[in-house]
Amino acid sequence: MNKTLKSIVMMFIICVLGYTQIGCKADNIKNENPQAVKDYSNQVQSEDKSNQNSNESKDDNGNLTSQVEKLSSNAEIHFIDTGNSDAILIIKDNKAALIDGGDNDDEALVSSYIKKQGISELEYVFATHPHADHIGGLDRVAKEIKINNLYVSNGEADTKSYRDFINEAANKGLYPSVPLLGSKFDLAGSTFEVLSVANTNDPNNNSIVLLYTNGNDKILLMGDAEKEIEQKLNIRDVDLLKVGHHGSHSSSSKPFIDKINPEYAVILVGEDNKYGHPHKETMDTLKEKGIEVHRSDECGDIIFTSTGNGLEVDCKKGSYNTGANSKYNKTENTVKIESNTSSIQNENINSYNNNSNESENIENNKSDVVYWTKSGKKYHSDPNCSGMKSPISGTIKESQRTPCSKCY
């Protein structure tokens, strides 16, 4: 017998013997203690069932629901009260993203708030645009909290607030990039979609506009984007709108609100802010549509919970009142009068007269020096506002433009 044939025969014998021994051993177990085999089988089945039940619970209708599914369905949307500025923290399954970081004096507040939620790492940070009331606190966040992905808007900026933010990011080895229009970013099964990343001469309109979707819940985050951008957005029927530009009349146009038809609106606005936010035009639109409003000047921090099939909020319903100091609010703020409150009425009339006089002063002071850019649509009292490059100076009349809502 040659060597090859001999090897094949030997392998066959070994296999047969091995199979016989295993079979015999199994038969011996069954013959010697059949009850032990039965008990072991029952134990395995019991453990499997126990493991399955530990991952399931009954919903309100008595149906079994996976605990894993339940854990990964809820997301929290924290609208942090930083006054007349934006800072939004979204958390799902211990993964978190931050949209803007408040103003320069909010640095400690924003960083501390994130840490109090048990977050030590941010999957994404979106700096919607370079105005200080959106990126002022991000340098502290970058310094103290790990950031995995950092996104910024189009356009140029040369302000101290923006330099501080970018320099701190560079110190942490971060390289900010502008996200692509239509790009999507996953956060534990929920998604951010970039709806606008324009490149105009107005930083507000360069705001990164995001649609956050968790299950069937849709939250639209507008930054400070104005009517010009609203007209271009391909979006309908959202559940929650973060109102653009703190409720300024420059955003939240009626056609836009009609199109997206939100159930809830959140306004991040400071109490008695100098800009008079939110403006009457915006609040009238929201009131007319019956949209439930929640405001940081009335509620403080606002936390929505997205279940994936509906939103819940911890904040009381807000009012449709306008800002107290606005030049754009042509009528008195609504005041509930229970009895003899002529002093309150007088205060409101005086406030209205003061606002009217202030508007008249703007008209009468058309000779004041203001600043604008060749392609810009607004004039500014501050030549450094909005990161203007090579501003032109002249009178209001010469500018032939409308006032900047941040300067006036």
Side-chain angles (χ1 to χ4, degrees):
M1 185 181 296
N2 60 43
K3 290 184 178 180
T4 303
L5 182 59
K6 187 176 181 180
S7 298
I8 292 172
V9 171
M10 290 298 294
M11 287 297 294
F12 177 78
I13 294 171
I14 291 170
C15 290
V16 171
L17 289 174
Y19 175 81
T20 304
Q21 288 178 358
I22 292 170
C24 291
K25 186 175 181 180
D27 288 340
N28 289 337
I29 292 174
K30 291 178 182 179
N31 292 332
E32 289 175 9
N33 196 352
Q35 185 61 41
V37 174
K38 184 177 179 181
D39 291 345
Y40 175 74
S41 177
N42 290 339
Q43 180 184 347
V44 171
Q45 290 177 13
S46 176
E47 287 178 358
D48 287 345
K49 188 173 182 180
S50 176
N51 289 335
Q52 182 180 357
N53 290 340
S54 69
N55 288 324
E56 293 178 339
S57 60
K58 290 187 177 181
D59 60 20
D60 295 337
N61 298 320
N63 300 318
L64 287 175
T65 304
S66 168
Q67 289 286 357
V68 174
E69 274 183 24
K70 189 173 180 181
L71 175 67
S72 55
S73 63
N74 283 2
E76 293 179 356
I77 301 95
H78 296 245
F79 296 94
I80 306 171
D81 179 18
T82 56
N84 216 65
S85 56
D86 274 24
I88 304 164
L89 178 68
I90 297 180
I91 306 171
K92 184 171 184 192
D93 293 356
N94 297 317
K95 299 288 185 181
L98 181 69
I99 299 91
D100 291 331
D103 214 328
N104 288 305
D105 57 354
D106 300 317
E107 290 184 343
L109 187 157
V110 174
S111 180
S112 174
Y113 187 98
I114 295 170
K115 293 175 185 175
K116 284 179 180 177
Q117 311 313 311
I119 300 299
S120 58
E121 182 176 334
L122 292 165
E123 204 63 33
Y124 309 103
V125 169
F126 297 95
T128 63
H129 65 293
H131 283 158
D133 60 327
H134 289 253
I135 54 92
L138 287 181
D139 55 337
R140 178 77 167 263
V141 172
K143 183 177 182 180
E144 297 183 354
I145 299 171
K146 183 182 178 184
I147 299 172
N148 293 330
N149 300 280
L150 177 59
Y151 296 100
V152 296
S153 64
N154 267 312
E156 297 180 356
D158 190 25
T159 63
K160 184 179 185 303
S161 297
Y162 195 68
R163 287 196 301 271
D164 289 347
F165 160 49
I166 294 300
N167 288 339
E168 190 57 54
N171 290 339
K172 295 295 183 179
L174 292 168
Y175 300 95
S177 61
V178 178
L180 295 175
L181 180 65
S183 55
K184 294 184 178 182
F185 304 92
D186 177 80
L187 185 74
S190 59
T191 59
F192 292 96
E193 181 180 358
V194 179
L195 299 187
S196 181
V197 60
N199 192 1
T200 73
N201 290 314
D202 185 349
N204 285 338
N205 281 330
N206 289 347
S207 290
I208 299 173
V209 176
L210 296 167
L211 177 66
Y212 175 69
T213 303
N214 180 50
N216 295 319
D217 301 333
K218 294 181 178 180
I219 294 96
L220 183 58
L221 307 171
M222 292 295 296
D224 276 357
E226 300 179 346
K227 296 174 185 177
E228 178 184 333
I229 298 300
E230 292 175 353
Q231 296 169 3
K232 300 176 181 179
L233 294 181
N234 184 22
I235 178 69
R236 289 185 181 276
D237 295 329
V238 302
D239 299 287
L240 168 63
L241 168 69
K242 197 292 293 184
V243 172
H245 205 174
H246 318 289
S248 169
H249 68 99
S250 62
S251 305
S252 305
S253 63
K254 188 177 184 304
F256 177 64
I257 298 299
D258 286 341
K259 181 172 71 171
I260 63 171
N261 194 30
E263 180 180 358
Y264 303 97
V266 168
I267 305 177
L268 295 176
V269 61
E271 186 177 2
D272 295 331
N273 65 89
K274 65 182 180 180
Y275 308 109
H277 295 150
H279 293 159
K280 182 178 185 301
E281 185 177 342
T282 299
M283 301 315 294
D284 284 350
T285 299
L286 298 176
K287 183 177 182 180
E288 181 183 332
K289 291 285 292 182
I291 296 167
E292 185 175 310
V293 171
H294 296 273
R295 309 165 47 148
S296 57
D297 63 335
E298 295 178 346
C299 192
D301 301 323
I302 303 167
I303 303 174
F304 272 81
T305 299
S306 163
T307 66
N309 199 29
L311 298 173
E312 301 167 357
V313 62
D314 72 339
C315 167
K316 65 182 180 181
K317 291 182 182 180
S319 73
Y320 296 105
N321 290 342
T322 55
N325 303 311
S326 177
K327 304 177 182 64
Y328 302 97
N329 300 333
K330 303 299 184 183
T331 60
E332 305 169 45
N333 287 335
T334 303
V335 177
K336 186 177 181 182
I337 302 173
E338 299 291 348
S339 54
N340 297 325
T341 53
S342 58
S343 61
I344 295 178
Q345 288 177 317
N346 290 333
E347 279 182 23
N348 284 318
I349 291 170
N350 291 334
S351 174
Y352 169 62
N353 289 336
N354 288 337
N355 288 338
S356 297
N357 291 336
E358 203 170 351
S359 296
E360 289 173 8
N361 288 337
I362 291 180
E363 291 298 312
N364 294 333
N365 293 331
K366 286 187 176 179
S367 60
D368 287 353
V369 175
V370 295
Y371 305 88
W372 67 92
T373 58
K374 187 175 180 180
S375 56
K377 296 180 179 180
K378 299 178 181 180
Y379 64 79
H380 308 261
S381 63
D382 180 358
N384 296 316
C385 182
S386 303
M388 286 188 292
K389 297 289 185 181
S390 304
I392 303 166
S393 63
T395 65
I396 293 175
K397 186 175 181 179
E398 289 171 341
S399 75
Q400 296 183 342
R401 285 161 171 77
T402 57
C404 165
S405 56
K406 287 183 68 66
C407 295
Y408 297 93

